[in-house]
Amino acid sequence: MNEIFSKGRERYLLKNKEVEKGCPSMIERFFEARNVVVIGVSHNPKKVGHVIFRNLVRKFVGRVCGVNQGTKPILGRKLYTSIADAKNVELAVVAVKAEKVPKVVEGCGKVGIKNVIVISGGFSELGEEGKKLEQELLKICKKHGIRLLGPNTLGIYVPKYGLDTTFLSDEKICKPRHGKVAILTQSGAIGCLLLDMLGKANVGVSKFISYGNAIDVNATELLEFLGKDKDTGVIVWFFEGVKSRRFAEVLQEVSKKKSIIVLKGGKTKEGSRAASSHTASMAGDYELFRAMFKQYGVLEAENLEELLDYVKAFATQPLPTGRKVCILTDAGGFGVLASDVCQKLGLELKLPSKRLIEKLSKVMPRHIVLSNPLDVTGDADAERYETCLKEVVKEYDAILLIMLFQLPMLGYEVVERVARVWRKVKKPIVICSHGSRQEVFQKFEACGIPVYPSPERAVKALAALYQRFEFVSSKGKIC
Amino acid sequence: MNEIFSKGRERYLLKNKEVEKGCPSMIERFFEARNVVVIGVSHNPKKVGHVIFRNLVRKFVGRVCGVNQGTKPILGRKLYTSIADAKNVELAVVAVKAEKVPKVVEGCGKVGIKNVIVISGGFSELGEEGKKLEQELLKICKKHGIRLLGPNTLGIYVPKYGLDTTFLSDEKICKPRHGKVAILTQSGAIGCLLLDMLGKANVGVSKFISYGNAIDVNATELLEFLGKDKDTGVIVWFFEGVKSRRFAEVLQEVSKKKSIIVLKGGKTKEGSRAASSHTASMAGDYELFRAMFKQYGVLEAENLEELLDYVKAFATQPLPTGRKVCILTDAGGFGVLASDVCQKLGLELKLPSKRLIEKLSKVMPRHIVLSNPLDVTGDADAERYETCLKEVVKEYDAILLIMLFQLPMLGYEVVERVARVWRKVKKPIVICSHGSRQEVFQKFEACGIPVYPSPERAVKALAALYQRFEFVSSKGKIC
């Protein structure tokens, strides 16, 4: 443990030297802080302040200290009774009751801390009284030149440095490893779910940012930061409303460089009402957002599942360079459903070439259907899939593999056979499979090939990849 | 094992006496047969003929025998070398190569078997040659008065009697227990998936019927049979096309009595082409089907997942008698998403009454949001949910419970608390929850309360229940 810690730390300090060469922006400093204090550390292991402290003590490669009213150590760490005693702190994470927050932030300002995350809820989302608290907080920030993330937020998680300010226990959720997807979310709950799901699907995350009520640092600034962040390749964003005027301009710029996938909450009247008592934001006119997303090449998910489905594809697959899809299936009915969706979403089910048919008919049993869908039928084994796949990738832009592991002949060795072909061709391959046994899906996703539980969802993911290709190629840029 | 077998058998013979009082139709006899033969039993445990025989030997409460070319016993059972030696057989399950099927069915006819299931593929789905084979087969059936199910099918599964003619091994799929949902499917693969998913979700099945190419017994007859079947309360149907002219009339009649949930494959040009090489059916004009479903109160699922989502709700929940839904959530962002879908689907998010607000504000902490969504916030425990739920069910027609088990305070004891309230009120309750830990979802579903991984899917299921209520109440009939 200590070794990993010091190794991580070494890497980390090196990285920070690089940062010092440039001039990290005030936003960047949240994610590059090496000296963090948690204010409001609790002895009760279920309480927010305890979980945050524990997450940092266990994983953070930088230094972490805690502030608490008592002096009894927590998790073997000595605590300060006042923020005034903590030296060289760059980032403060505040988890005290709402009414105490202004005083605490004032204290941070006095010792020169410039980045503060306020986890505590109980502000404008509860009405007038909370709004006043927020105004007070803002004044304090301006006075001391503090940038504040929150309140009413989970804060940030940077897997690369183990910098985890969320109050989500590692025992209860499966947090993702380091990778290229950034999660930006207005809602902590949705963020928590996204973390858990991406962790489970073996999708790596560069930065997780929950911004909550966003009284100071807002979504537009964070988007702009992620647009420049070298570790981030894909941006996933859940929001209910935005406040900044620069929003449209920033969105357009970032989308030119990186794939952005959004989900908007509060699309209807009822939803907007719910949103306002949630993070106290105005949800705005949904139709305007929709038009903007379309024009700027931002991919909009209809719902949470679609969002996750898209992320899985964008995080792992290259963009297809054309719209010719081959469906390789062992189940006729699934092939039919997948064909419907391909047609609906503008993907082309080109029939196999004469050459391909000749080649495969020599080695395949008579009863397989050499069309598109290419039906390898219910008695297909791993070898039959591999043989077909190897030929098919040569003349298609993307492949949907449908596999029923309920059938007697298909074994898990198909995973390695498919992965081998995929690693060579650099074309998108997605799997559709479903059933009570999850272990084979995990094997596929551990190899970097996403699995979808229905033909519809698998085809939608392919169509989204193609849509992005069309956007970037029409702009003369490749992502 | 033996005891269970003989007990089941006793029950079974009793049931058959009842049947004998009436006059079971030729279709009914498939499901009530007490003496079954499998033709084409193989020694290879992966082969179709072996798996079918094993399923029946292990589970069927009636008598089962096998026919095979050799005489060596399989699974400890003596086999016949010819169907002519098998006495008193009521149902034959055929799993030999396509070209041998006509001769085998002829043999069945000669010994007086009137019900035959042909599992084998390799008929019209492969083209002209196969079509001729089917014609030949039909002639033989007519000559002997045989009713034939298939070919190219999984056959049937009747959990009540352990009558399982599918070649799906119990080790590979999680088959459902006895219950009130009938599955009718043109595609074996989709049927296999439906079985597995319903088994996993603890939804019971009355009859599973895969009808494949349907050269004799067709979907219309089977629908009609299920409409009268006492064990069946909900019918789930996947189809690509239909052949019978009586179809519309039968569908209308059955839908008056029982909830029918359909999914159609082959909706588009591409899909239809794929369908024709799959089960050799014409997919027909989708718009016509769509209009028919709407008029007859048949619920159409957009895709496979929606189908499963609807089944879970219809199999377990009563119909709501109004459209007032309450969303009880510990996650604001999820409440917002759910509100959007309620509004879109015509469910009403009535605000809580003054009485309800007064009652709850006395016992709840100040920071919970007493609106609709009713946000019990992220620190809610099982007791807080139960307290709110008990009050809320009094003034709403249906409840959506959103629960994030990733949050520190919420434990699994909430399942029993929710189930207790639900058992008393007889109103629909569905759960939205998601994450890497599946065990709590299984606990809910074991209690009969369905769990959905997203707010959208949960609300859609509630809306479908309400839609059915509207249909049956407008017809003056209650399902």
Side-chain angles (χ1 to χ4, degrees):
Chain A
M1 179 65 206
N2 267 335
E3 201 187 336
I4 296 171
F5 188 87
S6 57
K7 263 198 179 172
R9 178 128 195 216
E10 219 171 86
R11 224 183 31 236
Y12 171 76
L13 292 175
L14 195 74
K15 168 78 189 165
N16 264 277
K17 267 190 197 155
E18 288 166 27
V19 170
E20 276 163 12
K21 283 182 200 160
C23 175
S25 75
M26 288 293 284
I27 301 291
E28 197 174 341
R29 284 177 203 266
F30 277 100
F31 307 94
E32 298 290 346
R34 351 154 207 198
N35 205 333
V36 177
V37 65
V38 181
I39 305 173
V41 183
S42 164
H43 281 274
N44 179 346
K46 275 190 166 183
K47 289 268 172 151
V48 166
H50 186 99
V51 180
I52 296 171
F53 192 59
R54 191 174 61 209
N55 280 338
L56 287 168
V57 166
R58 282 191 189 163
K59 296 184 297 186
F60 185 40
V61 297
R63 233 184 69 198
V64 55
C65 58
V67 172
N68 164 300
Q69 288 175 323
T71 52
K72 233 173 87 184
I74 294 181
L75 301 168
R77 299 284 175 113
K78 203 178 151 284
L79 298 178
Y80 300 111
T81 48
S82 160
I83 182 69
D85 302 328
K87 301 282 176 255
N88 302 319
V89 169
E90 290 155 325
L91 172 65
V93 184
V94 180
V96 300
K97 280 192 181 161
E99 54 271 25
K100 292 188 181 166
V101 171
K103 207 182 139 198
V104 165
V105 175
E106 177 78 52
C108 292
K110 281 184 184 158
V111 295
I113 301 174
K114 300 290 181 203
N115 291 72
V116 175
I117 301 177
V118 179
I119 304 292
S120 328
F123 291 84
S124 55
E125 74 276 15
L126 286 190
E128 280 310 315
E129 219 170 297
K131 265 185 206 157
K132 275 185 207 153
L133 263 183
E134 282 184 359
Q135 290 308 321
E136 197 185 334
L137 211 48
L138 258 184
K139 262 191 213 154
I140 298 167
C141 289
K142 283 214 175 119
K143 188 170 92 186
H144 294 286
I146 289 175
R147 296 306 315 261
L148 186 144
L149 185 68
N152 189 18
T153 168
L154 281 175
I156 63 174
Y157 172 46
V158 187
K160 196 177 176 184
Y161 303 142
L163 176 53
D164 182 356
T165 79
T166 71
F167 53 88
L168 305 169
S169 155
D170 284 4
E171 281 74 38
K172 284 204 146 194
I173 95 162
C174 171
K175 286 182 197 151
R177 57 173 175 78
H178 173 67
K180 72 172 184 177
V181 176
I183 304 175
L184 185 60
T185 177
Q186 186 165 352
S187 153
I190 305 271
C192 156
L193 185 66
L194 284 168
L195 275 179
D196 198 18
M197 294 306 297
L198 294 186
K200 204 180 153 199
N202 190 35
V203 171
V205 161
S206 57
K207 312 274 187 299
F208 167 85
I209 316 171
S210 153
Y211 55 89
N213 292 6
I215 61 168
D216 177 31
V217 173
N218 62 37
T220 305
E221 286 175 288
L222 291 165
L223 263 181
E224 198 170 25
F225 159 70
L226 291 172
K228 289 176 192 154
D229 180 42
K230 277 183 192 149
D231 286 336
T232 297
V234 177
I235 300 169
V236 178
W237 182 31
F238 174 82
F239 77 106
E240 286 157 8
V242 285
K243 292 169 182 171
S244 163
R245 283 196 203 157
R246 288 176 56 237
F247 164 68
E249 178 196 326
V250 169
L251 188 73
Q252 184 173 24
E253 276 314 303
V254 176
S255 174
K256 281 182 194 160
K257 291 179 286 184
K258 296 181 182 179
S259 301
I260 305 178
I261 310 169
V262 297
L263 173 62
K264 185 178 182 315
K267 294 175 191 170
T268 64
K269 208 182 76 195
E270 299 290 345
S272 302
R273 181 171 60 71
S276 75
S277 73
H278 173 222
T279 40
S281 69
M282 290 307 297
D285 187 339
Y286 174 51
E287 290 310 316
L288 275 180
F289 283 110
R290 207 181 172 97
M292 197 191 293
F293 295 149
K294 209 172 162 190
Q295 192 190 334
Y296 297 164
V298 170
L299 182 64
E300 190 189 357
E302 274 297 305
N303 54 51
L304 207 55
E305 259 174 352
E306 216 174 282
L307 187 73
L308 286 162
D309 287 350
Y310 291 157
V311 179
K312 274 163 59 167
F314 277 82
T316 58
Q317 301 303 303
L319 299 182
T321 55
R323 58 191 202 90
K324 294 194 291 290
V325 172
C326 178
I327 302 172
L328 204 58
T329 181
D330 57 358
F334 276 82
V336 173
L337 290 175
S339 303
D340 276 336
V341 192
C342 283
Q343 163 106 349
K344 228 164 85 183
L345 300 181
L347 297 175
E348 187 193 343
L349 287 179
K350 185 187 87 73
L351 291 173
S353 70
K354 221 171 143 183
R355 191 202 59 78
L356 183 63
I357 293 177
E358 274 169 13
K359 199 149 186 187
L360 285 180
S361 58
K362 274 182 204 152
V363 289
M364 287 289 131
R366 198 187 66 91
H367 66 278
I368 91 159
V369 185
L370 293 171
S371 179
N372 192 5
L374 199 166
D375 190 347
V376 292
T377 74
D379 63 344
D381 58 8
E383 201 189 331
R384 195 184 293 168
Y385 266 105
E386 189 186 4
T387 311
C388 290
L389 183 61
K390 268 184 181 165
E391 293 304 320
V392 151
V393 288
K394 292 178 189 163
E395 63 184 55
Y396 288 90
D397 302 309
I399 317 287
L400 166 60
L401 283 171
I402 301 177
M403 292 180 172
L404 284 199
F405 287 94
Q406 290 89 347
L407 297 172
M409 303 297 283
L410 189 61
Y412 292 179
E413 68 275 17
V414 77
V415 175
E416 196 32 49
R417 284 172 182 259
V418 168
R420 216 153 44 203
V421 180
W422 174 69
R423 279 180 212 120
K424 274 188 202 158
V425 294
K426 287 171 190 152
K427 289 181 180 182
I429 294 181
V430 299
I431 312 277
C432 162
S433 192
H434 205 152
S436 53
R437 300 200 165 185
Q438 301 285 316
E439 63 274 19
V440 62
F441 310 153
Q442 282 165 8
K443 276 181 208 282
F444 267 120
E445 296 191 334
C447 291
I449 303 175
V451 180
Y452 298 94
S454 74
E456 294 83 3
R457 285 168 63 178
V459 174
K460 268 190 174 173
L462 284 181
L465 288 173
Y466 178 66
Q467 194 182 316
R468 177 74 190 166
F469 167 76
E470 271 205 315
F471 177 79
V472 290
S473 57
S474 75
K475 302 275 167 204
K477 296 183 191 225
I478 295 293
C479 191
Chain B
M1 180 66 204
N2 268 335
E3 203 188 334
I4 297 170
F5 189 86
S6 58
K7 262 199 183 172
R9 177 128 194 215
E10 220 169 83
R11 225 182 31 233
Y12 171 75
L13 292 175
L14 195 74
K15 166 79 189 165
N16 264 276
K17 268 189 195 158
E18 287 166 26
V19 170
E20 275 163 11
K21 281 183 201 161
C23 177
S25 74
M26 289 293 283
I27 301 292
E28 198 173 339
R29 283 177 203 267
F30 277 101
F31 307 94
E32 297 291 344
R34 339 150 217 203
N35 205 333
V36 177
V37 64
V38 182
I39 305 172
V41 182
S42 163
H43 281 273
N44 179 346
K46 277 191 166 183
K47 290 268 173 150
V48 166
H50 185 99
V51 180
I52 296 172
F53 191 58
R54 191 174 60 208
N55 280 338
L56 288 168
V57 166
R58 282 190 189 164
K59 296 184 297 186
F60 184 40
V61 297
R63 233 185 70 199
V64 56
C65 59
V67 172
N68 163 300
Q69 288 175 323
T71 51
K72 234 173 86 183
I74 294 180
L75 300 167
R77 299 283 176 113
K78 203 179 151 284
L79 300 177
Y80 300 112
T81 49
S82 160
I83 182 68
D85 303 328
K87 301 285 176 249
N88 302 320
V89 169
E90 290 155 322
L91 171 65
V93 183
V94 180
V96 300
K97 279 190 181 159
E99 53 272 26
K100 290 186 181 170
V101 171
K103 207 183 141 196
V104 166
V105 176
E106 178 78 51
C108 291
K110 281 184 184 160
V111 296
I113 301 174
K114 299 293 181 201
N115 291 72
V116 175
I117 300 176
V118 178
I119 305 293
S120 330
F123 290 85
S124 55
E125 74 275 15
L126 286 190
E128 279 310 313
E129 219 170 295
K131 266 186 205 157
K132 275 185 205 155
L133 262 183
E134 282 184 358
Q135 290 307 321
E136 198 184 334
L137 210 48
L138 257 183
K139 262 189 213 158
I140 297 167
C141 289
K142 282 210 176 124
K143 189 169 93 185
H144 294 286
I146 290 173
R147 295 307 313 265
L148 185 144
L149 185 69
N152 188 18
T153 168
L154 282 175
I156 63 176
Y157 171 48
V158 187
K160 196 176 175 183
Y161 303 142
L163 176 52
D164 183 356
T165 79
T166 71
F167 52 88
L168 305 170
S169 156
D170 284 3
E171 281 75 39
K172 283 204 149 195
I173 96 162
C174 171
K175 286 182 196 150
R177 58 174 174 77
H178 173 66
K180 71 172 186 179
V181 176
I183 304 175
L184 186 60
T185 177
Q186 186 165 351
S187 153
I190 305 274
C192 157
L193 185 65
L194 283 169
L195 275 179
D196 197 18
M197 293 306 297
L198 294 186
K200 203 179 153 201
N202 190 36
V203 171
V205 161
S206 57
K207 312 276 186 299
F208 166 85
I209 316 169
S210 152
Y211 55 89
N213 292 8
I215 62 167
D216 178 31
V217 173
N218 61 38
T220 305
E221 286 176 287
L222 290 165
L223 263 181
E224 198 170 25
F225 159 69
L226 291 173
K228 289 176 191 155
D229 181 41
K230 278 183 192 150
D231 287 335
T232 298
V234 177
I235 300 168
V236 178
W237 182 30
F238 174 82
F239 77 107
E240 286 157 7
V242 285
K243 292 168 181 172
S244 164
R245 285 195 200 156
R246 288 175 56 236
F247 164 69
E249 179 196 326
V250 168
L251 188 73
Q252 185 173 22
E253 275 314 303
V254 176
S255 174
K256 282 182 195 160
K257 292 177 287 184
K258 295 180 182 179
S259 301
I260 306 177
I261 310 169
V262 296
L263 174 62
K264 187 180 181 312
K267 294 175 190 170
T268 62
K269 208 182 78 196
E270 299 291 345
S272 302
R273 180 171 61 69
S276 75
S277 73
H278 173 222
T279 41
S281 69
M282 290 307 297
D285 186 338
Y286 173 52
E287 289 311 316
L288 274 180
F289 282 111
R290 207 179 171 99
M292 198 190 295
F293 295 149
K294 209 172 164 191
Q295 192 188 335
Y296 297 165
V298 170
L299 181 64
E300 191 188 356
E302 274 297 306
N303 54 51
L304 209 53
E305 258 175 352
E306 215 174 283
L307 187 72
L308 287 161
D309 286 350
Y310 290 158
V311 180
K312 273 164 58 168
F314 277 82
T316 58
Q317 301 304 303
L319 299 181
T321 56
R323 58 191 201 90
K324 292 194 292 289
V325 172
C326 177
I327 303 171
L328 203 59
T329 182
D330 58 358
F334 276 81
V336 173
L337 291 175
S339 303
D340 277 336
V341 191
C342 283
Q343 162 109 347
K344 227 164 87 184
L345 300 180
L347 297 175
E348 187 193 341
L349 287 179
K350 185 187 87 75
L351 290 173
S353 70
K354 222 171 141 185
R355 191 201 59 80
L356 183 63
I357 293 178
E358 273 169 14
K359 199 148 187 188
L360 285 180
S361 57
K362 273 184 207 151
V363 289
M364 286 290 131
R366 197 187 68 92
H367 66 280
I368 92 160
V369 185
L370 292 171
S371 178
N372 192 5
L374 198 165
D375 190 348
V376 291
T377 74
D379 63 345
D381 57 8
E383 202 189 330
R384 194 184 293 170
Y385 265 106
E386 190 187 4
T387 311
C388 291
L389 182 61
K390 268 185 181 166
E391 292 305 320
V392 151
V393 287
K394 292 178 190 164
E395 63 184 51
Y396 288 89
D397 302 310
I399 316 288
L400 167 59
L401 283 172
I402 301 178
M403 291 178 174
L404 284 200
F405 288 94
Q406 289 90 347
L407 296 173
M409 303 296 284
L410 188 62
Y412 292 179
E413 68 276 15
V414 76
V415 175
E416 195 32 49
R417 286 171 182 259
V418 168
R420 216 155 41 202
V421 180
W422 174 68
R423 279 180 213 117
K424 275 189 201 155
V425 294
K426 288 173 188 144
K427 289 181 179 181
I429 293 181
V430 300
I431 312 278
C432 163
S433 192
H434 207 153
S436 53
R437 298 201 166 185
Q438 302 285 314
E439 64 274 20
V440 62
F441 311 153
Q442 280 165 9
K443 275 181 211 280
F444 267 120
E445 296 192 333
C447 291
I449 304 174
V451 181
Y452 298 94
S454 73
E456 294 83 2
R457 285 168 64 178
V459 174
K460 268 190 175 175
L462 283 181
L465 288 173
Y466 177 66
Q467 193 182 319
R468 178 71 190 167
F469 167 77
E470 270 205 316
F471 177 78
V472 291
S473 57
S474 74
K475 301 277 168 202
K477 295 181 191 226
I478 295 293
C479 191

